[in-house]
Amino acid sequence: MTNPILEIRNLHARIEDREILKGVNLAIPAGELHAVMGRNGSGKSTLSYVLAGKEDYEITEGEVLLDGVDLLGMEPNERAAAGLFLAFQYPIEIPGVATMTFLKAAMNAQRKSRGEGEISTPDFMRAVKEAGASLNIDASMLKRPLNVGFSGGEKKRAEVLQMALLAPKMCILDETDSGLDIDALQVVSKGVNALRSEQRSMLVITHYQRLLNHIVPDVVHVFSDGRIVESGDKSLALQLEAKGYADFDSEPA
Amino acid sequence: MMSALDIPTLKENIDRETVDQVLSLDVDKYKYGFSTDIESDMAPQGLSEDIVRFISAKKNEPQWMLDWRLDAYRRWLTMDEPAWAKVHYPQLDFQDMYFYAAPKSTPAPTSLDEVDPELLAMYDKLGIPLKEREILAGVERPNVAVDAVMDSVSVVTTFREELAKVGIIFCSISEAIREHAELVQKYLGSVVPVTDNYYATLNSAVFTDGSFVYIPKGVRCPMELSTYFRINEKKTGQFERTLIIAEDDSYVSYLEGCTAPMRDESQLHAAVVELVALENAEIKYSTVQNWYPGDKDGKGGIYNFVTKRGDCRGNGSKISWTQVETGSAITWKYPSCILRGDNSRGEFYSIAISNGYQQVDSGTKMIHLGKNTSSKIIAKGIAAGFSDNTYRGQVSAHAKAKGARNFTQCDSLLIGDKCGAHTVPYIESRNATAVFEHEATTSKISDDQMFYCQQRGLNEEEAVALIVNGFVRDVLQHLPMEFMVESQKLIAISLEGSVG
């Protein structure tokens, strides 16, 4: 009876003349974590950008519902306020803006668009301190400009920190394991796992099975040439790891 | 001077009388309290020697001041308007202006309903009380203005008494001319000479009021001095004259301006600010300039042609300029330091924002004359809309400036693709031991940065404001606390409508 948190129906998208998404169908019920796996250039990252509302893409067909509400008609910031979060593969540098300042601006912007008042400074400090502790993020990192000069691990930890503070319904993690050594991967995975809950769904986009040892999915989808070509449980990821993507390429739509 | 046909109203009839009166008097009579004979607060339209005499008489000035003004006026007549700045505007008609207590060239609004709604929206966002909005917008409601003045009179008096205890003089320049003539005579025009440039010379002839600050030897001024605490007579902003003198081992921090945009009928503003820092003295001068920039089509707005200069006259003295420039249709402004004393130091921190059709040509001059003098320039220009934003700076070391050092950093940020940012540095060294460094960058707010911020919940305008505030952070932190917070807000508001 209940709506899935995210429902994608026959989604087609193009950039200039090139069609990249060619009919994506996907439904993620509340509390589930789905993984989308696919080779480079299969359109996985495009899917995450299209969902978040990056304007380079033109949607030619299909619809996307977030908790039953049409997502595609919203501005990117409205999607964020509605509960969609994208952890970027390459988090963007914002020079001169302290991480702390950015966090507060983002939280307050979302509260504002939901008609809530600004968060009080003590509440904010407490929330940041709590969420930061489990991700090994200390005060000195929070004072640095967001992502400027951050190591790969610091960038991804900062993404998860934002995710924790913004408390979205739907998290999309785009290649979160890229640029991480094994220690950093463990910290980040722990942070992501701590955020899994009955009310929250996640979509993990990844190239390698490695991440899924740490963040164990409920469902795995194989993405190829702009659509999902196979779905299964976590064993599908292991199968892919062993055989590669070639088996799925030749499959007809 | 004015033909009878041009004088249809009663108000202007009074002007006419004044003109006749002025014309009928001969020069000698001005010495003897001429001003008591004048009841009108209006000077006739236009500019002439008589107008200069009128202003001086109206202010009850001593003869030396009048002579000084007349000398400036005669000099000005021989000068040409500078054309080197990257700004464009129609020819100014000085005979069409009023140089004292200018009556409005168009009727003033009688209620806020008649004021540019964009301007009102801005007041709303800045959280300015309704009463103050009316004053800022120039609404003709004498009672309101009187209330405000009454309020500030008591404030001003309290402050002045506090300051007088430590020997600080803080008053209007007109009062200083009368009460502290020896100081004014000694220092006025000693940093910006009467002959300096077209607008400064014009100001010298016709300035109407401004601030005077004197900090005695060894005194550290216990509070930030602000024009806000001094009664600025209405309609005297056009040709302000400010003089600040810091004696040996003294310190003062001076704040000028207001974050609220001021609507003003007079299009030309030509202020002069002179700072004198004696041995080991320090002057910190902060400005937030937010004059009316004109409407969204570039109509109206203030032409701001300002000469600001500080003289580090004593050994080890220091002058620091910090400015946030967001208003005016045209800004032509180069707060500078003459590093005359050995080991003296000059600083210039600037944020210049242009949006719509604004034109900014601003920067600084650091003139190294003394030994081991040092200077630092950090200029941040942000151009949006159809605006043009130029940094123009000069750093020079003279033959005796052994060991002079300068560091300059000029960063420009472009928002959109219809605006322009330009950097024009002039560097001149006549001393082999001088070390000058110059760094410049130009960047754009990237689509990726915008998308990232929006994905986190910020709308386009909030995203731009956040990124720009990050861009200007190294300058903002040099502002006094209360200005810093207001400036951040102001920056956000100035850039509204710059995206999308």
Side-chain angles (χ1 to χ4, degrees):
Chain A
M1 268 319 280
T2 56
N3 286 324
I5 295 283
L6 182 73
E7 190 171 9
I8 304 171
R9 294 180 189 150
N10 190 31
L11 184 63
H12 290 254
R14 61 201 288 166
I15 185 161
E16 287 159 10
D17 288 338
R18 205 156 55 90
E19 186 165 49
I20 299 180
L21 300 184
K22 301 174 180 175
V24 179
N25 287 290
L26 175 65
I28 308 180
E32 287 192 7
L33 188 148
H34 289 206
V36 166
M37 299 184 71
R39 63 172 65 199
N40 284 336
S42 60
K44 306 184 304 282
S45 284
T46 296
L47 178 62
S48 67
Y49 286 146
V50 166
L51 293 175
K54 197 166 196 236
E55 61 179 21
D56 311 349
Y57 303 93
E58 187 196 345
I59 315 288
T60 51
E61 215 182 321
E63 62 177 339
V64 179
L65 302 176
L66 179 69
D67 215 5
V69 179
D70 171 46
L71 197 66
L72 299 180
M74 294 186 204
E75 292 295 318
N77 56 302
E78 294 168 341
R79 299 180 194 203
L84 184 86
F85 182 91
L86 171 62
F88 283 62
Q89 179 177 8
Y90 303 109
I92 307 295
E93 296 183 359
I94 313 287
V97 178
T99 301
M100 194 73 124
T101 307
F102 185 85
L103 292 171
K104 199 170 182 190
M107 287 176 83
N108 280 332
Q110 293 203 13
R111 291 169 75 103
K112 193 173 124 196
S113 48
R114 289 193 295 258
E116 299 162 18
E118 290 199 353
I119 187 168
S120 75
T121 301
D123 287 351
F124 170 72
M125 298 302 286
R126 201 175 307 121
V128 173
K129 210 176 157 192
E130 269 173 32
S134 57
L135 289 161
N136 297 341
I137 291 175
D138 59 12
S140 73
M141 184 173 154
L142 294 167
K143 281 182 195 154
R144 288 157 61 194
L146 184 65
N147 294 324
V148 178
F150 282 20
S151 68
E154 285 174 326
K155 283 183 182 172
K156 296 299 165 79
R157 280 188 279 144
E159 292 291 286
V160 178
L161 175 66
Q162 292 178 57
M163 193 161 98
L165 291 170
L166 294 169
K169 287 180 204 161
M170 180 68 223
C171 306
I172 303 169
L173 289 85
D174 188 7
E175 305 277 6
T176 292
D177 52 334
S178 71
L180 293 186
D181 60 29
I182 190 71
D183 292 336
L185 181 61
Q186 273 169 356
V187 175
V188 169
S189 305
K190 206 177 112 196
V192 171
N193 286 327
L195 293 173
R196 292 175 74 164
S197 81
E198 286 303 309
Q199 290 77 41
R200 181 174 291 144
S201 301
M202 295 196 188
L203 178 63
V204 175
I205 292 171
T206 183
H207 190 66
Y208 296 110
Q209 197 269 336
R210 178 178 79 149
L211 177 68
L212 303 182
N213 291 333
H214 300 274
I215 301 173
V216 180
D218 299 300
V219 181
V220 174
H221 307 278
V222 181
F223 208 81
S224 177
D225 193 26
R227 63 173 79 86
I228 289 168
V229 293
E230 179 88 30
S231 301
D233 65 12
K234 64 183 175 186
S235 65
L236 184 59
L238 294 166
Q239 201 184 321
L240 269 174
E241 180 85 344
K243 294 190 190 165
Y245 290 105
D247 278 5
F248 301 97
D249 284 350
S250 54
E251 292 220 357
Chain B
M1 169 169 254
M2 291 167 91
S3 77
L5 293 171
D6 291 333
I7 319 169
T9 67
L10 178 65
K11 201 182 202 181
E12 282 168 346
N13 273 317
I14 297 169
D15 289 349
R16 177 79 220 180
E17 276 174 34
T18 313
V19 180
D20 293 342
Q21 204 169 13
V22 171
L23 291 175
S24 71
L25 290 164
D26 67 33
V27 182
D28 286 343
K29 289 189 184 165
Y30 288 102
K31 290 181 202 164
Y32 308 111
F34 164 79
S35 72
T36 51
D37 293 331
I38 297 172
E39 287 179 340
S40 166
D41 259 348
M42 311 291 171
Q45 200 173 20
L47 184 55
S48 66
E49 235 178 83
D50 289 325
I51 295 293
V52 175
R53 290 175 194 281
F54 176 95
I55 293 168
S56 185
K58 185 74 197 146
K59 303 178 79 60
N60 213 359
E61 287 177 353
Q63 183 64 36
W64 62 265
M65 195 65 241
L66 174 62
D67 292 343
W68 199 82
R69 287 177 181 273
L70 287 172
D71 179 42
Y73 176 71
R74 288 168 193 146
R75 183 68 76 138
W76 181 75
L77 289 176
T78 69
M79 297 169 90
D80 291 319
E81 231 174 305
W84 43 262
K86 195 176 161 45
V87 293
H88 306 281
Y89 54 94
Q91 184 74 40
L92 297 168
D93 181 0
F94 293 97
Q95 297 313 327
D96 193 42
M97 296 179 189
Y98 291 88
F99 287 83
Y100 184 78
K104 306 277 181 181
S105 49
T106 54
T110 52
S111 82
L112 282 176
D113 298 341
E114 296 172 30
V115 177
D116 184 356
E118 299 276 328
L119 195 63
L120 294 179
M122 202 181 269
Y123 292 157
D124 199 37
K125 282 171 190 145
L126 282 166
I128 294 163
L130 201 63
K131 224 180 199 183
E132 230 172 286
R133 289 182 205 186
E134 291 193 331
I135 298 165
L136 290 165
V139 173
E140 285 284 319
R141 192 79 74 77
N143 291 336
V144 175
V146 170
D147 284 352
V149 171
M150 295 295 277
D151 289 347
S152 50
V153 166
S154 55
V155 175
V156 169
T157 315
T158 325
F159 273 98
R160 283 178 59 167
E161 279 169 5
E162 283 292 304
L163 294 171
K165 276 184 205 156
V166 286
I168 292 172
I169 304 168
F170 181 32
C171 63
S172 72
I173 192 99
S174 310
E175 190 180 335
I177 289 165
R178 294 190 300 266
E179 310 288 326
H180 308 283
E182 67 302 337
L183 286 171
V184 176
Q185 266 184 297
K186 184 171 175 191
Y187 291 106
L188 190 73
S190 74
V191 186
V192 178
V194 165
T195 54
D196 194 77
N197 70 71
Y198 188 77
Y199 300 109
T201 304
L202 175 63
N203 174 289
S204 301
V206 300
F207 72 87
T208 37
D209 218 331
S211 300
F212 177 81
V213 177
Y214 175 80
I215 314 290
K217 191 172 172 176
V219 171
R220 200 180 158 83
C221 185
M223 61 186 82
E224 314 256 7
L225 298 184
S226 164
T227 42
Y228 189 78
F229 294 130
R230 196 176 57 68
I231 312 169
N232 271 319
E233 277 173 56
K234 292 286 290 171
K235 301 168 185 169
T236 56
Q238 199 175 359
F239 296 98
E240 260 189 276
R241 185 93 196 187
T242 296
L243 176 60
I244 299 177
I245 303 149
E247 289 276 12
D248 296 355
D249 305 307
S250 67
Y251 167 85
V252 63
S253 168
Y254 187 86
L255 316 182
E256 175 206 45
C258 172
T259 49
M262 296 277 282
R263 180 186 165 280
D264 196 310
E265 281 299 328
S266 48
Q267 184 135 57
L268 174 67
H269 281 240
V272 172
V273 175
E274 297 179 274
L275 312 181
V276 181
L278 299 172
E279 218 162 287
N280 294 315
E282 181 178 350
I283 302 175
K284 197 170 148 51
Y285 194 104
S286 312
T287 309
V288 172
Q289 184 270 111
N290 191 19
W291 292 105
Y292 186 51
D295 68 13
K296 60 178 172 19
D297 301 318
K299 283 209 190 83
I302 306 294
Y303 296 171
N304 196 25
F305 295 93
V306 189
T307 304
K308 288 183 166 175
R309 195 173 302 151
D311 191 352
C312 286
R313 213 164 274 184
N315 285 353
S317 55
K318 181 178 169 187
I319 287 176
S320 166
W321 298 100
T322 305
Q323 61 171 23
V324 178
E325 299 284 319
T326 67
S328 296
I330 296 176
T331 303
W332 181 98
K333 182 180 170 187
Y334 316 90
S336 304
C337 297
I338 301 168
L339 303 168
R340 197 185 304 273
D342 292 345
N343 306 304
S344 62
R345 179 168 173 82
E347 292 173 352
F348 175 74
Y349 303 105
S350 169
I351 298 169
I353 298 180
S354 55
N355 197 357
Y357 287 88
Q358 284 177 276
Q359 305 173 60
V360 178
D361 196 301
S362 183
T364 184
K365 284 194 268 188
M366 292 292 173
I367 300 162
H368 293 255
L369 302 178
K371 292 188 190 69
N372 300 316
T373 47
S374 61
S375 60
K376 184 175 177 184
I377 298 168
I378 298 184
K380 304 274 182 176
I382 297 125
F386 299 88
S387 67
D388 252 312
N389 201 322
T390 303
Y391 167 82
R392 189 182 302 277
Q394 180 185 354
V395 179
S396 63
H398 288 243
K400 288 177 184 163
K402 225 191 271 173
R405 300 187 74 87
N406 165 267
F407 173 75
T408 299
Q409 187 189 330
C410 279
D411 298 321
S412 308
L413 185 69
L414 296 165
I415 301 172
D417 54 9
K418 297 197 171 54
C419 52
H422 319 274
T423 302
V424 190
Y426 303 84
I427 298 169
E428 189 185 352
S429 176
R430 297 202 188 141
N431 190 303
T433 62
V435 179
F436 292 167
E437 293 171 73
H438 182 96
E439 289 177 10
T441 66
T442 302
S443 51
K444 277 191 76 164
I445 294 185
S446 73
D447 293 346
D448 285 342
Q449 284 176 321
M450 287 297 291
F451 177 61
Y452 187 84
C453 292
Q454 286 176 274
Q455 208 301 303
R456 296 304 185 251
L458 284 81
N459 65 31
E460 284 189 328
E461 280 171 353
E462 289 165 339
V464 168
L466 186 77
I467 294 167
V468 170
N469 270 307
F471 175 74
V472 300
R473 190 165 77 147
D474 350 343
V475 173
L476 271 186
Q477 64 199 17
H478 290 282
L479 284 172
M481 202 54 178
E482 62 266 48
F483 260 28
M484 194 168 102
V485 177
E486 287 182 42
S487 297
Q488 281 178 318
K489 238 193 213 178
L490 181 61
I491 288 165
I493 291 171
S494 308
L495 289 168
E496 278 184 2
S498 63
V499 286

